[in-house]
Amino acid sequence: MQSSAGFPLNPVPDYDVFPDKNRFYTPMFETTIAGSLPKPSWLAEPGKLWPQWKLAGEALDEAKRDATLVWLKTQEDAGIDVVGDGEQSRQHFVHGFLESVEGLDFQHKVKMGIRNNRYDAMVPVVVAAVRLRGRVHATEAQVARAHTTRKLKITMPGPMTMVDTVSDSHYRDKAKLAMALAELLNQEARALEAQGVDVIQFDEPAFNVYMDDVKRWGIDALHRAIEGLKCRTAVHICYGYGIQANIDWKNSLGSQWRQYEEIFPALAKSRLDQVSVECMHSHVPMSLLKLLGGKDVLVGAIDVATDRVETAEEVAGLIAEAVKYVPRERILACTNCGMAPMKREVAVAKLQALSAGAALARERLA
């Protein structure tokens, strides 16, 4: 069997049973990405969060698979330990999942303010009970698993962020819609686990916006999404992609960003294994990380809001600061957020910096 690019697809081993979730802890300060990576210019418009595809039909499907392979190899070459598909098959990190959901009207999108009206987006409308048409990320997982022996992470949008990125004309209750979407996420997550995915991450930037709802129903929805999983589970909570609307919002938050302080205690009590947070060049007090006792912490050590490439020294220094508050065996080095809108060459350089910085931290802190 071959991929669209002509590469042989190796047989995928049976990963239905995960006897030891803690088999992931070598080396110290493993490196990983938050999720998205820039799409090659031959696949989609560069530099955009909602890019238009350059191709259609079978040619587009082939290009998506090829882009996944390109970024898989690039991550390995950069020294990333837990690799991902780079979300190359999705136009947007939320709608890439929702496009496979029945009950949504994508033909008559409406303009809506999302993330508490931080910026406007054209979103689909929930018009009926939601259900999956079929598998969502089967191809990406199959291609990635067949071409890497490294730990593989697949990301999906979290229920609260999905609720915040649609217009609901059916459920008319955010918590009910979130639980319905969490059921669909769980169906896909179980199938991904069976394909050999080692880590399944749910992206919840909305957790930094609707903190009361996180405690009321947001974490409960995540628990429904991870129900029955034996692989490691993560939630990514950042301050958003490096787009101007998010940068402007961050500038309005003052000298200290304390949103994490409100939700970390609840997450520490949750059944999730890992929490991915934004740290590099942020105003998040690092001391807040101690509120995540018992969790693996994916420390965001790469700023996605600037093209300036971090030095290994800067990354290692941030990891050293995190070690003051989190046991070193529970720290992974990560990017602050996805890098979808970033220049491709900058993203590659930042991945290399992340790996070099983690290696330097190992030398100093082992």
Side-chain angles (χ1 to χ4, degrees):
M1 183 177 180
Q2 290 188 329
S3 73
S4 59
F7 300 112
L9 287 178
N10 301 321
V12 180
D14 183 358
Y15 283 86
D16 287 345
V17 178
F18 286 77
D20 182 8
K21 292 171 74 172
N22 295 317
R23 64 191 177 90
F24 293 108
Y25 286 125
T26 52
M28 183 182 295
F29 308 136
E30 282 186 316
T31 54
T32 188
I33 60 172
S36 66
L37 291 165
K39 292 177 176 63
S41 58
W42 41 263
L43 174 63
E45 293 178 293
K48 293 188 176 181
L49 183 57
W50 303 71
Q52 294 299 309
W53 300 116
K54 294 284 189 72
L55 303 161
E58 292 184 4
L60 176 59
D61 293 339
E62 178 177 320
K64 289 177 178 179
R65 291 191 291 269
D66 292 349
T68 299
L69 289 173
V70 167
W71 273 114
L72 199 66
K73 183 65 165 61
T74 301
Q75 289 172 81
E76 291 182 341
D77 289 349
I80 302 302
D81 300 301
V82 184
V83 299
D85 69 322
E87 300 181 6
Q88 296 299 293
S89 296
R90 318 175 204 181
Q91 187 183 45
H92 182 263
F93 83 104
V94 178
H95 290 185
F97 187 92
L98 291 177
E99 287 168 354
S100 298
V101 176
E102 293 180 354
L104 274 71
D105 183 357
F106 272 88
Q107 299 301 313
H108 302 92
K109 291 182 180 179
V110 299
K111 180 183 287 189
M112 188 181 81
I114 65 175
R115 314 297 179 262
N116 198 23
N117 296 312
R118 191 187 313 166
Y119 57 94
D120 291 336
M122 297 301 294
V123 302
V125 181
V126 183
V127 295
V130 295
R131 54 174 292 179
L132 283 182
R133 293 191 181 90
R135 288 297 311 281
V136 183
H137 301 306
T139 300
E140 303 97 289
Q142 194 272 338
V143 169
R145 184 70 284 168
H147 284 89
T148 187
T149 58
R150 301 194 186 188
K151 297 162 196 173
L152 175 63
K153 176 165 75 173
I154 296 291
T155 61
M156 293 190 287
M160 178 178 285
T161 297
M162 294 169 82
V163 168
D164 194 48
T165 320
V166 298
S167 176
D168 178 21
S169 295
H170 178 73
Y171 292 88
R172 302 185 185 278
D173 182 295
K174 291 183 177 181
K176 289 181 179 179
L177 175 57
M179 294 304 289
L181 292 168
E183 164 64 27
L184 308 188
L185 289 166
N186 184 253
Q187 292 174 28
E188 179 65 15
R190 287 173 181 250
L192 289 169
E193 180 184 76
Q195 286 185 273
V197 174
D198 300 295
V199 184
I200 295 176
Q201 175 182 294
F202 300 93
D203 298 333
E204 285 285 22
F207 271 31
N208 268 348
V209 183
Y210 311 108
M211 282 80 75
D212 289 339
D213 284 343
V214 171
K215 292 169 279 190
R216 290 191 189 108
W217 52 266
I219 293 176
D220 287 342
L222 281 178
H223 283 163
R224 179 65 194 94
I226 68 171
E227 189 173 316
L229 295 180
K230 300 180 180 68
C231 65
R232 296 196 75 74
T233 58
V235 59
H236 170 67
I237 310 165
C238 66
Y239 286 79
Y241 278 115
I243 59 174
Q244 194 59 48
N246 289 333
I247 294 171
D248 292 343
W249 176 61
K250 293 178 185 183
N251 289 336
S252 74
L253 296 179
S255 60
Q256 286 196 342
W257 303 351
R258 305 197 71 92
Q259 284 78 7
Y260 286 150
E261 188 172 31
E262 293 193 45
I263 60 176
F264 277 3
L267 283 166
K269 297 176 183 177
S270 76
R271 297 197 295 272
L272 292 139
D273 298 308
Q274 303 179 339
V275 181
S276 171
V277 297
E278 178 171 337
C279 296
M280 180 61 80
H281 298 154
S282 76
H283 296 302
V284 173
M286 292 292 281
S287 60
L288 297 184
L289 298 182
K290 66 185 178 183
L291 299 175
L292 288 171
K295 302 300 180 188
D296 296 346
V297 181
L298 280 63
V299 176
I302 294 294
D303 187 353
V304 302
T306 176
D307 284 350
R308 179 187 171 275
V309 178
E310 290 78 2
T311 66
E313 185 70 38
E314 287 175 311
V315 173
L318 188 72
I319 294 172
E321 183 68 16
V323 166
K324 297 178 183 178
Y325 307 104
V326 180
R328 63 194 65 199
E329 66 273 11
R330 286 199 170 275
I331 293 175
L332 291 85
C334 189
T335 56
N336 272 358
C337 185
M339 295 195 279
M342 188 168 282
K343 296 176 183 176
R344 184 173 169 183
E345 64 272 18
V346 173
V348 172
K350 283 177 174 280
L351 292 179
Q352 294 168 341
L354 180 65
S355 180
L360 184 58
R362 285 183 209 114
E363 291 178 12
R364 294 176 175 177
L365 300 171

mmCIF file of all heavy atoms in Angstrom, residues 230-261:
data_model
loop_
_atom_site.group_PDB
_atom_site.id
_atom_site.type_symbol
_atom_site.label_atom_id
_atom_site.label_comp_id
_atom_site.label_asym_id
_atom_site.label_seq_id
_atom_site.Cartn_x
_atom_site.Cartn_y
_atom_site.Cartn_z
ATOM 1 N N LYS A 230 -7.576 5.253 27.094
ATOM 2 C CA LYS A 230 -6.427 4.753 27.840
ATOM 3 C C LYS A 230 -5.146 5.500 27.475
ATOM 4 O O LYS A 230 -4.173 5.450 28.212
ATOM 5 C CB LYS A 230 -6.250 3.259 27.577
ATOM 6 C CG LYS A 230 -7.441 2.406 27.993
ATOM 7 C CD LYS A 230 -7.188 0.937 27.702
ATOM 8 C CE LYS A 230 -8.384 0.076 28.110
ATOM 9 N NZ LYS A 230 -9.566 0.326 27.249
ATOM 10 N N CYS A 231 -5.128 6.163 26.315
ATOM 11 C CA CYS A 231 -3.970 6.966 25.941
ATOM 12 C C CYS A 231 -3.940 8.224 26.807
ATOM 13 O O CYS A 231 -4.875 8.506 27.555
ATOM 14 C CB CYS A 231 -4.032 7.336 24.463
ATOM 15 S SG CYS A 231 -5.415 8.420 24.030
ATOM 16 N N ARG A 232 -2.878 8.986 26.682
ATOM 17 C CA ARG A 232 -2.791 10.213 27.474
ATOM 18 C C ARG A 232 -3.696 11.279 26.867
ATOM 19 O O ARG A 232 -3.892 11.355 25.643
ATOM 20 C CB ARG A 232 -1.350 10.704 27.553
ATOM 21 C CG ARG A 232 -0.465 9.706 28.298
ATOM 22 C CD ARG A 232 0.845 10.306 28.743
ATOM 23 N NE ARG A 232 0.721 11.189 29.902
ATOM 24 C CZ ARG A 232 0.515 10.774 31.161
ATOM 25 N NH1 ARG A 232 0.387 9.487 31.433
ATOM 26 N NH2 ARG A 232 0.444 11.641 32.143
ATOM 27 N N THR A 233 -4.249 12.100 27.741
ATOM 28 C CA THR A 233 -5.174 13.148 27.307
ATOM 29 C C THR A 233 -4.661 14.503 27.771
ATOM 30 O O THR A 233 -4.070 14.632 28.847
ATOM 31 C CB THR A 233 -6.582 12.911 27.866
ATOM 32 O OG1 THR A 233 -6.517 12.868 29.306
ATOM 33 C CG2 THR A 233 -7.160 11.601 27.338
ATOM 34 N N ALA A 234 -4.891 15.514 26.952
ATOM 35 C CA ALA A 234 -4.387 16.856 27.251
ATOM 36 C C ALA A 234 -5.435 17.899 26.911
ATOM 37 O O ALA A 234 -6.311 17.680 26.073
ATOM 38 C CB ALA A 234 -3.114 17.129 26.446
ATOM 39 N N VAL A 235 -5.320 19.048 27.573
ATOM 40 C CA VAL A 235 -6.111 20.211 27.201
ATOM 41 C C VAL A 235 -5.138 21.363 26.993
ATOM 42 O O VAL A 235 -4.218 21.578 27.787
ATOM 43 C CB VAL A 235 -7.179 20.563 28.256
ATOM 44 C CG1 VAL A 235 -6.568 20.856 29.623
ATOM 45 C CG2 VAL A 235 -8.023 21.756 27.792
ATOM 46 N N HIS A 236 -5.308 22.065 25.877
ATOM 47 C CA HIS A 236 -4.453 23.207 25.547
ATOM 48 C C HIS A 236 -5.228 24.485 25.801
ATOM 49 O O HIS A 236 -6.313 24.682 25.251
ATOM 50 C CB HIS A 236 -4.022 23.123 24.079
ATOM 51 C CG HIS A 236 -3.346 24.362 23.577
ATOM 52 N ND1 HIS A 236 -2.115 24.761 24.036
ATOM 53 C CD2 HIS A 236 -3.725 25.286 22.663
ATOM 54 C CE1 HIS A 236 -1.762 25.885 23.425
ATOM 55 N NE2 HIS A 236 -2.728 26.218 22.587
ATOM 56 N N ILE A 237 -4.674 25.361 26.661
ATOM 57 C CA ILE A 237 -5.346 26.603 27.026
ATOM 58 C C ILE A 237 -4.367 27.749 26.813
ATOM 59 O O ILE A 237 -3.421 27.908 27.578
ATOM 60 C CB ILE A 237 -5.816 26.584 28.492
ATOM 61 C CG1 ILE A 237 -6.602 25.316 28.794
ATOM 62 C CG2 ILE A 237 -6.657 27.819 28.791
ATOM 63 C CD1 ILE A 237 -6.795 25.059 30.268
ATOM 64 N N CYS A 238 -4.601 28.520 25.782
ATOM 65 C CA CYS A 238 -3.678 29.602 25.450
ATOM 66 C C CYS A 238 -4.438 30.916 25.393
ATOM 67 O O CYS A 238 -5.624 30.994 25.679
ATOM 68 C CB CYS A 238 -2.988 29.311 24.122
ATOM 69 S SG CYS A 238 -4.163 29.340 22.743
ATOM 70 N N TYR A 239 -3.714 31.947 24.981
ATOM 71 C CA TYR A 239 -4.319 33.265 24.797
ATOM 72 C C TYR A 239 -4.532 33.568 23.321
ATOM 73 O O TYR A 239 -4.719 34.705 22.931
ATOM 74 C CB TYR A 239 -3.456 34.332 25.470
ATOM 75 C CG TYR A 239 -3.562 34.311 26.981
ATOM 76 C CD1 TYR A 239 -2.862 33.378 27.728
ATOM 77 C CD2 TYR A 239 -4.386 35.197 27.657
ATOM 78 C CE1 TYR A 239 -2.962 33.336 29.106
ATOM 79 C CE2 TYR A 239 -4.499 35.165 29.042
ATOM 80 C CZ TYR A 239 -3.784 34.231 29.762
ATOM 81 O OH TYR A 239 -3.901 34.188 31.135
ATOM 82 N N GLY A 240 -4.485 32.535 22.500
ATOM 83 C CA GLY A 240 -4.861 32.683 21.103
ATOM 84 C C GLY A 240 -3.700 32.725 20.134
ATOM 85 O O GLY A 240 -2.545 32.942 20.491
ATOM 86 N N TYR A 241 -4.037 32.469 18.872
ATOM 87 C CA TYR A 241 -3.073 32.549 17.777
ATOM 88 C C TYR A 241 -2.425 33.934 17.719
ATOM 89 O O TYR A 241 -2.951 34.910 18.267
ATOM 90 C CB TYR A 241 -3.781 32.310 16.435
ATOM 91 C CG TYR A 241 -4.000 30.872 16.067
ATOM 92 C CD1 TYR A 241 -5.287 30.347 15.964
ATOM 93 C CD2 TYR A 241 -2.924 30.039 15.778
ATOM 94 C CE1 TYR A 241 -5.497 29.034 15.590
ATOM 95 C CE2 TYR A 241 -3.126 28.715 15.404
ATOM 96 C CZ TYR A 241 -4.412 28.223 15.305
ATOM 97 O OH TYR A 241 -4.615 26.923 14.937
ATOM 98 N N GLY A 242 -1.313 34.019 16.992
ATOM 99 C CA GLY A 242 -0.618 35.289 16.852
ATOM 100 C C GLY A 242 -1.236 36.188 15.806
ATOM 101 O O GLY A 242 -0.541 36.660 14.903
ATOM 102 N N ILE A 243 -2.532 36.443 15.908
ATOM 103 C CA ILE A 243 -3.203 37.370 14.994
ATOM 104 C C ILE A 243 -3.457 38.674 15.736
ATOM 105 O O ILE A 243 -3.463 38.718 16.968
ATOM 106 C CB ILE A 243 -4.528 36.782 14.454
ATOM 107 C CG1 ILE A 243 -5.498 36.458 15.604
ATOM 108 C CG2 ILE A 243 -4.261 35.541 13.625
ATOM 109 C CD1 ILE A 243 -6.872 36.002 15.131
ATOM 110 N N GLN A 244 -3.694 39.766 14.990
ATOM 111 C CA GLN A 244 -3.745 41.086 15.596
ATOM 112 C C GLN A 244 -4.837 41.206 16.653
ATOM 113 O O GLN A 244 -4.634 41.855 17.694
ATOM 114 C CB GLN A 244 -3.954 42.150 14.513
ATOM 115 C CG GLN A 244 -3.691 43.573 15.014
ATOM 116 C CD GLN A 244 -2.279 43.757 15.535
ATOM 117 O OE1 GLN A 244 -1.315 43.358 14.874
ATOM 118 N NE2 GLN A 244 -2.134 44.337 16.718
ATOM 119 N N ALA A 245 -5.988 40.598 16.428
ATOM 120 C CA ALA A 245 -7.080 40.692 17.413
ATOM 121 C C ALA A 245 -6.658 40.108 18.754
ATOM 122 O O ALA A 245 -6.995 40.657 19.817
ATOM 123 C CB ALA A 245 -8.318 39.972 16.884
ATOM 124 N N ASN A 246 -5.928 39.014 18.716
ATOM 125 C CA ASN A 246 -5.462 38.416 19.964
ATOM 126 C C ASN A 246 -4.354 39.240 20.602
ATOM 127 O O ASN A 246 -4.295 39.381 21.834
ATOM 128 C CB ASN A 246 -4.960 36.993 19.706
ATOM 129 C CG ASN A 246 -6.090 36.032 19.400
ATOM 130 O OD1 ASN A 246 -7.228 36.231 19.834
ATOM 131 N ND2 ASN A 246 -5.798 34.993 18.641
ATOM 132 N N ILE A 247 -3.456 39.778 19.773
ATOM 133 C CA ILE A 247 -2.379 40.619 20.304
ATOM 134 C C ILE A 247 -2.964 41.849 20.990
ATOM 135 O O ILE A 247 -2.536 42.236 22.089
ATOM 136 C CB ILE A 247 -1.415 41.019 19.168
ATOM 137 C CG1 ILE A 247 -0.681 39.778 18.636
ATOM 138 C CG2 ILE A 247 -0.416 42.071 19.649
ATOM 139 C CD1 ILE A 247 0.129 40.022 17.388
ATOM 140 N N ASP A 248 -3.967 42.455 20.376
ATOM 141 C CA ASP A 248 -4.612 43.628 20.971
ATOM 142 C C ASP A 248 -5.285 43.260 22.292
ATOM 143 O O ASP A 248 -5.233 44.033 23.265
ATOM 144 C CB ASP A 248 -5.650 44.205 20.007
ATOM 145 C CG ASP A 248 -5.022 44.820 18.764
ATOM 146 O OD1 ASP A 248 -3.809 45.096 18.781
ATOM 147 O OD2 ASP A 248 -5.757 45.008 17.765
ATOM 148 N N TRP A 249 -5.922 42.093 22.334
ATOM 149 C CA TRP A 249 -6.575 41.659 23.567
ATOM 150 C C TRP A 249 -5.548 41.449 24.675
ATOM 151 O O TRP A 249 -5.749 41.886 25.813
ATOM 152 C CB TRP A 249 -7.351 40.371 23.307
ATOM 153 C CG TRP A 249 -7.994 39.779 24.526
ATOM 154 C CD1 TRP A 249 -8.945 40.366 25.317
ATOM 155 C CD2 TRP A 249 -7.741 38.492 25.099
ATOM 156 N NE1 TRP A 249 -9.312 39.509 26.342
ATOM 157 C CE2 TRP A 249 -8.585 38.358 26.229
ATOM 158 C CE3 TRP A 249 -6.896 37.439 24.752
ATOM 159 C CZ2 TRP A 249 -8.577 37.214 27.018
ATOM 160 C CZ3 TRP A 249 -6.907 36.298 25.538
ATOM 161 C CH2 TRP A 249 -7.736 36.191 26.657
ATOM 162 N N LYS A 250 -4.437 40.815 24.344
ATOM 163 C CA LYS A 250 -3.398 40.602 25.344
ATOM 164 C C LYS A 250 -2.883 41.923 25.901
ATOM 165 O O LYS A 250 -2.618 42.045 27.105
ATOM 166 C CB LYS A 250 -2.234 39.806 24.735
ATOM 167 C CG LYS A 250 -2.567 38.375 24.371
ATOM 168 C CD LYS A 250 -1.359 37.702 23.742
ATOM 169 C CE LYS A 250 -1.686 36.310 23.240
ATOM 170 N NZ LYS A 250 -0.503 35.615 22.689
ATOM 171 N N ASN A 251 -2.765 42.918 25.024
ATOM 172 C CA ASN A 251 -2.278 44.220 25.477
ATOM 173 C C ASN A 251 -3.249 44.901 26.431
ATOM 174 O O ASN A 251 -2.870 45.836 27.150
ATOM 175 C CB ASN A 251 -2.023 45.128 24.274
ATOM 176 C CG ASN A 251 -0.816 44.695 23.457
ATOM 177 O OD1 ASN A 251 0.084 44.027 23.971
ATOM 178 N ND2 ASN A 251 -0.790 45.065 22.183
ATOM 179 N N SER A 252 -4.505 44.435 26.445
ATOM 180 C CA SER A 252 -5.507 45.035 27.336
ATOM 181 C C SER A 252 -5.585 44.344 28.693
ATOM 182 O O SER A 252 -6.337 44.782 29.565
ATOM 183 C CB SER A 252 -6.888 44.979 26.666
ATOM 184 O OG SER A 252 -7.410 43.644 26.693
ATOM 185 N N LEU A 253 -4.803 43.272 28.871
ATOM 186 C CA LEU A 253 -4.941 42.453 30.079
ATOM 187 C C LEU A 253 -4.075 42.915 31.247
ATOM 188 O O LEU A 253 -4.127 42.319 32.322
ATOM 189 C CB LEU A 253 -4.619 40.988 29.749
ATOM 190 C CG LEU A 253 -5.552 40.300 28.754
ATOM 191 C CD1 LEU A 253 -5.105 38.867 28.495
ATOM 192 C CD2 LEU A 253 -6.993 40.332 29.255
ATOM 193 N N GLY A 254 -3.280 43.950 31.031
ATOM 194 C CA GLY A 254 -2.483 44.490 32.116
ATOM 195 C C GLY A 254 -1.144 43.800 32.278
ATOM 196 O O GLY A 254 -0.710 42.998 31.452
ATOM 197 N N SER A 255 -0.491 44.082 33.383
ATOM 198 C CA SER A 255 0.876 43.606 33.610
ATOM 199 C C SER A 255 0.929 42.153 34.060
ATOM 200 O O SER A 255 1.986 41.517 33.991
ATOM 201 C CB SER A 255 1.574 44.478 34.654
ATOM 202 O OG SER A 255 0.864 44.436 35.889
ATOM 203 N N GLN A 256 -0.190 41.618 34.529
ATOM 204 C CA GLN A 256 -0.248 40.202 34.916
ATOM 205 C C GLN A 256 -1.508 39.568 34.342
ATOM 206 O O GLN A 256 -2.603 40.108 34.476
ATOM 207 C CB GLN A 256 -0.252 40.039 36.446
ATOM 208 C CG GLN A 256 1.077 40.300 37.099
ATOM 209 C CD GLN A 256 1.116 39.766 38.528
ATOM 210 O OE1 GLN A 256 0.081 39.492 39.150
ATOM 211 N NE2 GLN A 256 2.314 39.611 39.066
ATOM 212 N N TRP A 257 -1.324 38.429 33.700
ATOM 213 C CA TRP A 257 -2.455 37.666 33.163
ATOM 214 C C TRP A 257 -2.779 36.561 34.166
ATOM 215 O O TRP A 257 -2.012 35.610 34.310
ATOM 216 C CB TRP A 257 -2.095 37.056 31.813
ATOM 217 C CG TRP A 257 -1.650 38.039 30.778
ATOM 218 C CD1 TRP A 257 -1.696 39.411 30.840
ATOM 219 C CD2 TRP A 257 -1.083 37.728 29.503
ATOM 220 N NE1 TRP A 257 -1.196 39.961 29.703
ATOM 221 C CE2 TRP A 257 -0.813 38.960 28.860
ATOM 222 C CE3 TRP A 257 -0.784 36.538 28.849
ATOM 223 C CZ2 TRP A 257 -0.242 39.021 27.588
ATOM 224 C CZ3 TRP A 257 -0.225 36.594 27.568
ATOM 225 C CH2 TRP A 257 0.040 37.827 26.954
ATOM 226 N N ARG A 258 -3.911 36.655 34.821
ATOM 227 C CA ARG A 258 -4.218 35.732 35.919
ATOM 228 C C ARG A 258 -5.438 34.857 35.632
ATOM 229 O O ARG A 258 -6.022 34.270 36.546
ATOM 230 C CB ARG A 258 -4.403 36.502 37.223
ATOM 231 C CG ARG A 258 -3.218 37.403 37.590
ATOM 232 C CD ARG A 258 -3.260 37.814 39.035
ATOM 233 N NE ARG A 258 -2.949 36.703 39.917
ATOM 234 C CZ ARG A 258 -1.730 36.416 40.367
ATOM 235 N NH1 ARG A 258 -0.689 37.140 39.988
ATOM 236 N NH2 ARG A 258 -1.545 35.402 41.191
ATOM 237 N N GLN A 259 -5.829 34.758 34.351
ATOM 238 C CA GLN A 259 -6.959 33.901 34.011
ATOM 239 C C GLN A 259 -6.715 32.462 34.456
ATOM 240 O O GLN A 259 -7.635 31.782 34.932
ATOM 241 C CB GLN A 259 -7.225 33.955 32.504
ATOM 242 C CG GLN A 259 -7.910 35.207 32.014
ATOM 243 C CD GLN A 259 -6.959 36.389 31.891
ATOM 244 O OE1 GLN A 259 -5.754 36.244 32.055
ATOM 245 N NE2 GLN A 259 -7.499 37.554 31.599
ATOM 246 N N TYR A 260 -5.487 31.987 34.295
ATOM 247 C CA TYR A 260 -5.164 30.614 34.688
ATOM 248 C C TYR A 260 -5.433 30.367 36.171
ATOM 249 O O TYR A 260 -5.770 29.257 36.577
ATOM 250 C CB TYR A 260 -3.692 30.317 34.399
ATOM 251 C CG TYR A 260 -3.335 30.121 32.943
ATOM 252 C CD1 TYR A 260 -2.069 30.462 32.475
ATOM 253 C CD2 TYR A 260 -4.231 29.572 32.029
ATOM 254 C CE1 TYR A 260 -1.704 30.270 31.150
ATOM 255 C CE2 TYR A 260 -3.886 29.383 30.711
ATOM 256 C CZ TYR A 260 -2.612 29.728 30.270
ATOM 257 O OH TYR A 260 -2.266 29.525 28.960
ATOM 258 N N GLU A 261 -5.265 31.393 36.982
ATOM 259 C CA GLU A 261 -5.447 31.236 38.423
ATOM 260 C C GLU A 261 -6.862 30.782 38.766
ATOM 261 O O GLU A 261 -7.072 30.048 39.745
ATOM 262 C CB GLU A 261 -5.137 32.567 39.113
ATOM 263 C CG GLU A 261 -5.109 32.503 40.623
ATOM 264 C CD GLU A 261 -4.600 33.802 41.226
ATOM 265 O OE1 GLU A 261 -4.826 34.871 40.624
ATOM 266 O OE2 GLU A 261 -3.976 33.749 42.302
#
